[in-house]
Amino acid sequence: MKDILTLGIESSCDETSVSVVKNGREVLSNIIDSQIKIHEKYGGVVPEIASRNHIEAISRVTKKALEEANVTLKDIDAITPTYGPGLVGALLVGLSYAKALSFAINKPLVGVNHIEGHIAANYITHKDLKPPFICLLMSGGNTGLVYVQDYTKFKMIGKTRDDAVGEAFDKIARVIGLGYPGGPKVDALAKTGAPNIELPKTHIDNLDFSFSGIKTAVINLNHKMPNINKADLCASFQKTITEMLLENTKKAIEKLNVQTLAIAGGVSANSYIRQELLKLEKENIKVFMPDLKLCTDNAAMIASAGFFNFIEGKRSALNLNAVPNLKIGE
Ligand code: KG4
């Protein structure tokens, strides 16, 4: 089979990223222009500022991605931008750029669901991973359990009823004064503390999650006891949230009788969660995790998901619009 090159374009939040991927699994380039420094002083992503910075970066990042991959636009088989979920203004920059490019060079456009991209990050790291498997999705905007029946066929089998897990990390980090982005900071501080503070766990009958209870408990504790040991608080939060994630993941594995688990999304970079999930291997469950640099937003994972949609025959029209609340498998 002829090699297929997809050009992934990602601008759903605060990273402008463009990547060239070969046959869905081999990364030829993955340029990520992060706006973290710009948004840091506001304590979170400011949507309007994100959009403006995407506009400033998109052409430069695309040029760099093609150069680093040592290819030209002629070599690209499909342009595969993220079209949702995400911040509408931010999404529109990458999507509009991709549509213009597709029209100008007469190459197919294949819109990619950002969540499918996070799952596809696993295909890049693990060349042998094939569906079916269960994916524990943990990002800043989405959390849940996805049954990956095939490369482009998904079923959401459990989702959060309130906060996404990354949102809970970011909110508690802000309240205890760690700043933005909170997840990596909680992860680092937790390593110096002990998980000795009892926090509430929410159990839901089906495979859904709820993280607002634990988030509020941490915020209230910090408020009532300003001198509480912050490292212990982070370690306890991380341990309790991991237990909740594990509990439902095990239930899903049992219910579906699927012995392969993958994880995806920014929070899958968390060192404690990774360490605890790996313990499932002792129970004969194969656990796959993306490389750390592929856990958070990047265009390589989008180009990978784009490839699998492209070979399935999916094509998007030039009137494809951004869908800020795009779902997966529902
Ligand atoms: O998947 P992602 O890059 O963006 C979305 O698509 O939502 O996820 C970003 C989230 C943020 O909430 C960030 O704090 C969290 O991932 N995150 C982490 C870690 N690294 C990133 N959370 C916990 N521990 C980490 N090491």
Side-chain angles (χ1 to χ4, degrees), residues 2-260:
K2 174 193 166 292
D3 286 334
I4 290 173
L5 299 188
T6 44
L7 184 76
I9 298 182
E10 159 62 32
S11 70
S12 66
C13 192
D14 59 344
E15 258 95 32
T16 319
S17 180
V18 180
S19 162
V20 180
V21 166
K22 186 158 110 183
N23 300 329
R25 300 211 186 229
E26 191 186 329
V27 179
L28 303 188
S29 66
N30 187 21
I31 309 298
I32 305 170
D33 197 281
S34 175
Q35 301 177 13
I36 285 183
K37 284 268 161 294
I38 297 167
H39 297 280
E40 220 167 26
K41 57 177 175 286
Y42 304 103
V45 179
V46 183
E48 177 62 20
I49 296 178
S51 311
R52 284 165 192 256
N53 281 282
H54 285 309
I55 294 173
E56 186 275 320
I58 191 84
S59 301
R60 170 171 42 83
V61 174
T62 305
K63 191 163 173 261
K64 213 165 152 192
L66 291 166
E67 273 168 15
E68 201 175 295
N70 202 18
V71 298
T72 68
L73 284 171
K74 276 198 195 117
D75 304 310
I76 299 296
D77 294 283
I79 319 271
T80 67
T82 302
Y83 73 103
L87 301 169
V88 69
L91 285 165
L92 280 170
V93 177
L95 179 59
S96 306
Y97 188 84
K99 291 200 286 188
L101 206 55
S102 156
F103 181 71
I105 64 169
N106 196 24
K107 295 280 169 101
L109 179 78
V110 182
V112 174
N113 182 323
H114 181 80
I115 306 171
E116 282 186 38
H118 274 302
I119 296 171
N122 285 285
Y123 300 131
I124 297 172
T125 303
H126 305 283
K127 311 292 180 211
D128 55 331
L129 175 64
K130 291 187 179 79
F133 58 86
I134 289 169
C135 184
L136 174 60
L137 169 75
M138 304 172 279
S139 74
N142 299 277
T143 295
L145 285 156
V146 183
Y147 177 43
V148 183
Q149 285 170 279
D150 209 336
Y151 292 100
T152 60
K153 210 163 162 211
F154 307 88
K155 196 166 173 3
M156 195 81 188
I157 53 174
K159 59 178 191 280
T160 179
R161 294 194 177 177
D162 37 58
D163 293 287
V165 66
E167 212 176 336
F169 269 93
D170 291 343
K171 281 187 188 158
I172 74 135
R174 184 155 62 198
V175 169
I176 66 178
L178 299 180
Y180 166 86
K185 295 188 172 155
V186 171
D187 190 352
L189 187 59
K191 287 197 176 105
T192 67
N196 52 13
I197 301 166
E198 193 158 335
L199 294 169
K201 271 195 239 171
T202 309
H203 303 274
I204 298 179
D205 272 351
N206 61 13
L207 296 172
D208 284 354
F209 297 98
S210 165
F211 302 110
S212 65
I214 184 172
K215 177 197 71 183
T216 309
V218 171
I219 294 172
N220 287 345
L221 263 178
N222 187 65
H223 184 65
K224 284 192 209 132
M225 303 166 68
N227 294 326
I228 195 165
N229 184 311
K230 309 280 190 242
D232 290 352
L233 194 54
C234 286
S236 308
F237 167 78
Q238 221 172 238
K239 178 170 181 279
T240 313
I241 227 160
T242 306
E243 284 166 3
M244 283 196 264
L245 291 164
L246 257 168
E247 197 174 294
N248 279 16
T249 304
K250 281 186 181 176
K251 270 201 259 172
I253 287 169
E254 221 165 88
K255 190 170 168 198
L256 272 74
N257 195 20
V258 173
Q259 297 300 109
T260 309

